[in-house]
């Protein structure tokens, strides 16, 4: 861990407006619900720069809100080299992000770079891009992210003695 008692995790997708903001919001919600908010620093970023400064997609916001999760206050940003050293874990939403992140990782970086769903026990699975999809696609993303985040929170608690 990079600072006492705080596990730093970064969720990464393409635009940082649909999947990774949902993961950031869901994981934060679950951690806070469990009384563990202070033990985690949670952020998200995109491999691409098209949407920098934008809030999350309104469809993602709507579905999250329906499940009691707020994405308020989030603004899209691009993945940067320092992220590979300031965070403990970088979670890729799909295989494309994973390979992109591996190729961009500075040598000697300290963060562990993993596929999000693999880290939550579902090896080889992607969180599918909902950008060109409909509300059902966003609902599916939310469900996958929620389920994986529950598993991941437990795993990180155990791994870090939280
Ligand atoms: P995200 O979704 O990576 O889950 O935020 C996307 C958002 C925008 C684009 C692609 C995916 N885009 O090509 O602009």
């Amino acid at each position: 861990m990079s600072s006492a008692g705080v596990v730093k995790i970064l969720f990464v997708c393409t635009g940082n407006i649909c999947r990774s903001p949902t993961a950031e919001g869901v994981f934060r919600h679950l951690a806070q619900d469990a009384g563990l908010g202070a033990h985690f620093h949670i952020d998200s970023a995109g491999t691409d720069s098209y949407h920098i400064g934008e809030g999350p997609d309104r469809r993602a916001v709507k579905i999250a809100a329906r499940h009691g999760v707020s994405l308020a206050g989030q603004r899209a940003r691009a993945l940067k080299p320092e992220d590979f050293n300031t965070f403990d874990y970088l979670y890729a939403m799909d295989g494309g992000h994973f390979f992109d992140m591996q190729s961009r990782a500075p040598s000697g970086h300290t963060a562990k770079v993993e596929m999000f769903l693999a880290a939550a026990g579902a090896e080889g699975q992607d969180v599918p891009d909902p950008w060109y999809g409909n509300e059902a696609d966003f609902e599916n993303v939310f469900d996958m992210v929620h389920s994986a985040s529950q598993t991941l929170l437990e795993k990180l608690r155990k791994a870090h003695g939280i």
Side-chain angles (χ1 to χ4, degrees):
M1 279 181 286
S2 41
S3 62
V6 178
V7 181
K8 298 184 175 185
I9 65 181
L10 182 72
F11 297 103
V12 179
C13 63
T14 305
N16 192 211
I17 55 170
C18 302
R19 290 167 288 180
S20 60
T22 298
E24 178 185 338
V26 165
F27 196 96
R28 181 175 293 123
H29 178 86
L30 291 173
Q32 285 175 351
D33 242 21
L36 302 172
H39 290 278
F40 291 95
H41 174 75
I42 306 154
D43 197 4
S44 62
T47 54
D48 287 349
S49 308
Y50 308 126
H51 299 279
I52 289 173
E54 292 178 22
D57 186 286
R58 60 184 168 73
R59 298 165 293 179
V61 171
K62 181 177 166 185
I63 301 297
R66 195 181 283 168
H67 293 275
V69 173
S70 170
L71 306 185
Q74 295 195 43
R75 287 291 173 270
R77 73 166 178 89
L79 180 67
K80 53 190 185 206
E82 305 91 275
D83 290 327
F84 291 90
N85 287 306
T86 52
F87 287 88
D88 299 305
Y89 300 94
L90 270 58
Y91 294 120
M93 290 291 134
D94 70 29
H97 308 132
F98 182 68
F99 288 113
D100 189 354
M101 289 155 73
Q102 293 205 309
S103 70
R104 288 203 222 176
S107 62
H109 69 92
T110 53
K112 189 168 185 185
V113 180
E114 292 182 279
M115 289 280 286
F116 174 49
L117 295 186
E123 198 67 46
Q125 287 187 40
D126 291 340
V127 179
D129 184 352
W131 174 247
Y132 292 108
N134 57 28
E135 206 166 288
D137 298 299
F138 278 83
E139 190 75 51
N140 181 48
V141 164
F142 185 92
D143 289 346
M144 292 176 90
V145 164
H146 190 265
S147 171
S149 294
Q150 287 177 312
T151 305
L152 190 60
L153 178 59
E154 282 311 304
K155 181 177 157 178
L156 292 175
R157 282 180 77 161
K158 288 192 185 118
H160 293 276
I162 294 168

